[in-house]
Amino acid sequence: MQTVLITGGAGFIGSHMCDLLLDKGYKVICMDNLITSSALNIKHLDGNKNFRFIEHDVTKHIDIEEDLDFVLHLASPASPVDFDKIPIQISKVGSLGTHNALGLAKHKKAVFLFASTSEVYGDPLVNPQPETYFGNVNPVGVRSCYDESKRFGEAITMAYHRKHKIDTKIVRIFNTYGERMRADDGRAVPTFISQALKNEPITVFGDGRQTRSFCYVSDLIEGIYKLMLSDINEPVNIGNPDEYSILELAEKIIELTGSKSKIIFSELPADDPKVRRPDIAKAKKELDWEPKVGLEEGLRKTIEYFKELEK
Ligand code: UDP
């Protein structure tokens, strides 16, 4: 039986990764400081003999007794509302946290996977974004705590790969949504669904013509799993290439919830990317992966989850 450490394992994506890997027969150690995640996301795993939770901040030295086969470094707040509230913690988890997790992987001779982000492309001047695009990031803007620490995280991951010959993977995660997102997380999908379910105004920033491409969480974690088992050491985009404007997203959520909400427009946050869409040719070819869940199907499932939460 192989053992996996998942940092950020109580988060939105991390907790789904715990479920998938337990299901595939791995022993899972979940590490989280619960700063933006929730113990409720892993409550159903209480008592599972192959699962262990450790409350720990990965920006501090990480000590694990067991042998590890994989270290998945998923820990990081990732919502633009967190960029304002906790920019120093975000800067630290992508830099110091990645360094600690790499050190652990080296010590344990484990495969290391770093959760990077489409934010490394910044406000992209190329659409869709292939892995070969270097990005257009404001190094001192309000998003830079996230973007630049993730870019540094990629750099130090490659440095450990080149210098210490660690088997490392880098997944560039594009906008992902689904069950276990926080209702108050501030991101477009949970915000719009929460507003629609309460018949409150839907808050579209800017004119709503900026685009995103939304990947349902089950597709994302399947892609991460395939990458974790692959022999690819260069970054791979995982996301859904179907691109929608934010206004279209708001309208779709109003339609699917049958809400009476009206759309209201307010100022676009600084450095908000105008377009975002993954080029997934590499994941298709090298991982034989592509998303299966369309936006409407994924939104329906997510809306059901938020309805249950409100009961
Ligand atoms: N957005 C919006 N209203 C909200 C939340 C987000 O119009 O209440 C917009 C945001 O400005 C961005 C897009 O939706 O253009 C996606 O934002 P999100 O925070 O979900 O993620 P991002 O892709 O920006 O990291």
Side-chain angles (χ1 to χ4, degrees):
M1 190 173 224
Q2 292 194 303
T3 304
V4 186
L5 172 75
I6 306 182
T7 77
F12 161 50
I13 292 170
S15 64
H16 285 282
M17 209 66 219
C18 290
D19 288 345
L20 180 88
L21 291 175
L22 287 166
D23 211 45
K24 300 265 184 201
Y26 293 82
K27 195 169 162 214
V28 172
I29 303 173
C30 165
M31 180 169 280
D32 208 299
N33 66 351
L34 303 176
I35 181 174
T36 54
S37 52
S38 167
L40 287 177
N41 290 339
I42 48 168
K43 189 155 182 21
H44 61 287
L45 300 175
D46 270 358
N48 184 324
K49 66 177 188 348
N50 293 325
F51 180 78
R52 184 156 85 89
F53 174 66
I54 304 172
E55 188 168 342
H56 180 70
D57 174 353
V58 294
T59 66
K60 312 262 173 4
H61 182 81
I62 309 170
D63 242 338
I64 302 284
E65 276 175 26
E66 293 101 316
D67 289 341
L68 295 176
D69 300 285
F70 296 89
V71 174
L72 308 187
H73 181 40
L74 308 188
S76 179
S79 169
V81 297
D82 297 325
F83 304 168
D84 265 346
K85 285 192 211 145
I86 44 171
I88 297 171
Q89 287 94 327
I90 293 173
S91 304
K92 284 167 74 176
V93 73
S95 54
L96 305 181
T98 305
H99 183 215
N100 287 337
L102 277 163
L104 178 72
K106 175 173 163 249
H107 176 64
K108 300 286 185 184
K109 298 186 172 53
V111 173
F112 178 82
L113 180 140
F114 177 57
S116 187
T117 166
S118 54
E119 284 282 328
V120 300
Y121 302 121
D123 187 3
L125 305 176
V126 169
N127 196 41
Q129 296 82 52
E131 288 87 350
T132 47
Y133 178 50
F134 293 162
N136 176 40
V137 175
N138 175 355
V140 293
V142 284
R143 300 174 85 99
S144 64
C145 57
Y146 186 64
D147 301 10
E148 294 292 10
S149 62
K150 288 292 190 185
R151 287 173 68 99
F152 172 77
E154 291 198 5
I156 193 170
T157 298
M158 291 310 293
Y160 267 69
H161 171 63
R162 292 187 181 115
K163 186 75 190 166
H164 293 308
K165 312 286 177 231
I166 299 185
D167 187 4
T168 59
K169 325 283 171 198
I170 296 172
V171 55
R172 291 189 178 148
I173 299 174
F174 282 66
N175 293 67
T176 300
Y177 68 99
E179 295 86 338
R180 302 187 195 150
M181 285 188 107
R182 287 178 288 147
D184 64 350
D185 149 305
R187 278 181 282 191
V189 171
T191 304
F192 293 173
I193 293 177
S194 302
Q195 291 166 337
L197 291 177
K198 294 188 198 122
N199 294 308
E200 288 173 358
I202 307 278
T203 53
V204 168
F205 300 156
D207 59 13
R209 276 191 295 179
Q210 69 273 29
T211 67
R212 295 293 186 274
S213 309
F214 299 96
C215 186
Y216 185 63
V217 64
S218 60
D219 281 333
L220 178 88
I221 59 164
E222 194 63 41
I224 295 178
Y225 181 60
K226 286 194 163 183
L227 178 62
M228 157 186 149
L229 299 180
S230 78
D231 56 7
I232 306 171
N233 299 121
E234 302 291 320
V236 180
N237 289 339
I238 299 285
N240 189 315
D242 292 341
E243 188 177 7
Y244 294 86
S245 74
I246 293 303
L247 193 56
E248 285 174 316
L249 175 74
E251 285 163 351
K252 172 90 29 218
I253 288 175
I254 292 175
E255 178 198 319
L256 294 178
T257 51
S259 173
K260 298 190 187 65
S261 293
K262 297 275 172 286
I263 294 173
I264 56 167
F265 296 89
S266 59
E267 205 181 325
L268 192 66
D271 298 328
D272 197 288
K274 285 177 264 317
V275 290
R276 181 179 291 150
R277 177 183 178 194
D279 179 333
I280 59 164
K282 186 170 178 178
K284 271 189 182 165
K285 181 164 175 272
E286 298 191 29
L287 299 176
D288 189 27
W289 174 88
E290 64 182 318
K292 299 188 189 97
V293 182
L295 183 65
E296 198 161 311
E297 184 188 347
L299 282 178
R300 282 187 200 282
K301 293 178 198 235
T302 311
I303 290 166
E304 279 315 304
Y305 170 78
F306 280 98
K307 275 189 186 161
E308 283 299 312
L309 271 191
E310 290 200 350
K311 276 186 189 162

